[in-house]
Amino acid sequence: MFSDPRDIAAAAVGRIGAALDAADAMPTLGVATGSSPRTVYELLRTKHQDGEAALTQVAAVALDEYRGLPADAPQRYRAVLREALVGPEHTGLRDVDLHVPDADAVDPVTAASRFEATIASLGGVDLQLLGLGENGHIGFNEPGTPFTERTHLVRLEDSTRHANSRFFDGDIERVPEYAMTQGLATILEAREIVLIAVGEEKATAVQAMVEGPVTTDCPASILQDHPQVTVLLDEDAASNLEMRSASSV
Ligand code: GLP
């Protein structure tokens, strides 16, 4: 648990560096969107500018993507990730090495299989960054999603659309109803996972994820079954945890 968000970013970047260094071939980083990883990407950019770390020889796979947004919408996760990471002026990640689910495909089932095949061809994900939805979702796997699910099209819950409406000028009607997400089985195959949750609106989900039973009611609770997970929290997000007395969780 951290009181300074910069320490969360530093801890995440530390794990990313170690995981990418340890990878055999070209490493693969699983990237998330939302507010939580922003400071991580900021720090990766700073490090790249300082010549300390670069994603030039790294492949990146996105967790999820909205379906039905205009091609030039800045809220498209491909656009968000491009803006945050791609190019020598950011982290050195090459655009061709950024893989995002083709959520707008006419045939989403085939598109989802193609995305799974892409991950497999990259040798799997070395480290997957995750945020946490207020309802316990990871990626866009809403409560009730079977743990066995792989990349698939989902209908977003109204609560998720509401939470994400802050990226759409507060207008829930503009938030797409559908998205394509890596499934929980896909996410669980990452060799290492780093989840970041910040703010008291995440406190209930954090408690259910860490201390509750493993249940599809809280999709993130399946992370309890993964051997290599780091959960990085600020004090507000950690405020419901019984184990709160520990200095890091
Ligand atoms: C969205 C994304 C998730 C993300 C979640 C939390 O729903 N699809 O991948 O984890 O938001 O986002 P934030 O970090 O902004 O709280």
Side-chain angles (χ1 to χ4, degrees):
M1 185 177 72
F2 300 90
S3 45
D4 186 337
R6 284 171 303 186
D7 293 336
I8 293 184
V13 168
R15 301 282 347 157
I16 291 171
L20 299 186
D21 284 350
D24 290 338
M26 184 171 171
T28 302
L29 178 64
V31 286
T33 47
S35 323
S36 315
R38 277 186 179 165
T39 50
V40 176
Y41 300 153
E42 229 171 81
L43 185 56
L44 283 173
R45 290 198 294 272
T46 306
K47 286 194 172 288
H48 177 54
Q49 299 313 325
D50 294 348
E52 278 181 52
L55 300 186
T56 34
Q57 298 296 325
V58 171
V61 295
L63 255 187
D64 43 19
E65 176 63 291
Y66 287 119
R67 178 176 173 91
L69 283 178
D72 59 353
Q75 297 91 349
R76 289 178 84 97
Y77 286 166
R78 177 180 284 281
V80 171
L81 291 166
R82 265 191 184 140
E83 182 73 26
L85 298 172
V86 169
E89 73 283 17
H90 291 138
T91 66
L93 179 70
R94 300 183 319 155
D95 202 41
V96 290
D97 292 324
L98 172 63
H99 305 276
V100 182
D102 181 11
D104 285 315
V106 180
D107 177 355
V109 174
T110 304
S113 310
R114 249 195 337 259
F115 188 67
E116 289 281 334
T118 299
I119 295 177
S121 72
L122 294 167
V125 172
D126 291 295
L127 183 144
Q128 177 67 57
L129 268 179
L130 294 177
L132 178 68
E134 290 172 32
N135 61 3
H137 74 221
I138 47 178
F140 269 134
N141 293 282
E142 300 284 33
T145 307
F147 293 142
T148 49
E149 196 85 75
R150 305 198 69 85
T151 301
H152 63 293
L153 198 66
V154 285
R155 182 161 199 197
L156 301 178
E157 287 198 353
D158 284 348
S159 62
T160 297
R161 293 178 67 219
H162 180 264
N164 287 0
S165 64
R166 67 189 193 281
F167 298 112
F168 293 83
D169 302 323
D171 182 358
I172 191 171
E173 295 304 322
R174 290 178 52 208
V175 184
E177 271 180 69
Y178 291 91
M180 190 175 285
T181 183
Q182 286 189 33
L184 294 167
T186 317
I187 293 170
L188 264 278
E189 281 173 8
R191 287 182 267 283
E192 177 169 353
I193 291 175
V194 172
L195 182 143
I196 299 175
V198 172
E200 69 174 326
E201 58 282 7
K202 303 292 172 70
T204 305
V206 165
Q207 200 272 336
M209 166 180 73
V210 176
E211 296 177 340
V214 176
T215 162
T216 55
D217 293 347
C218 176
S221 64
I222 191 63
L223 298 178
Q224 292 178 26
D225 286 355
H226 192 286
Q228 189 63 55
V229 181
T230 305
V231 177
L232 303 172
L233 306 171
D234 72 349
E235 283 168 5
D236 289 337
S239 58
N240 279 5
L241 288 175
E242 308 237 329
M243 59 162 77
R244 209 173 155 230
S245 50
S247 62
S248 94
V249 288

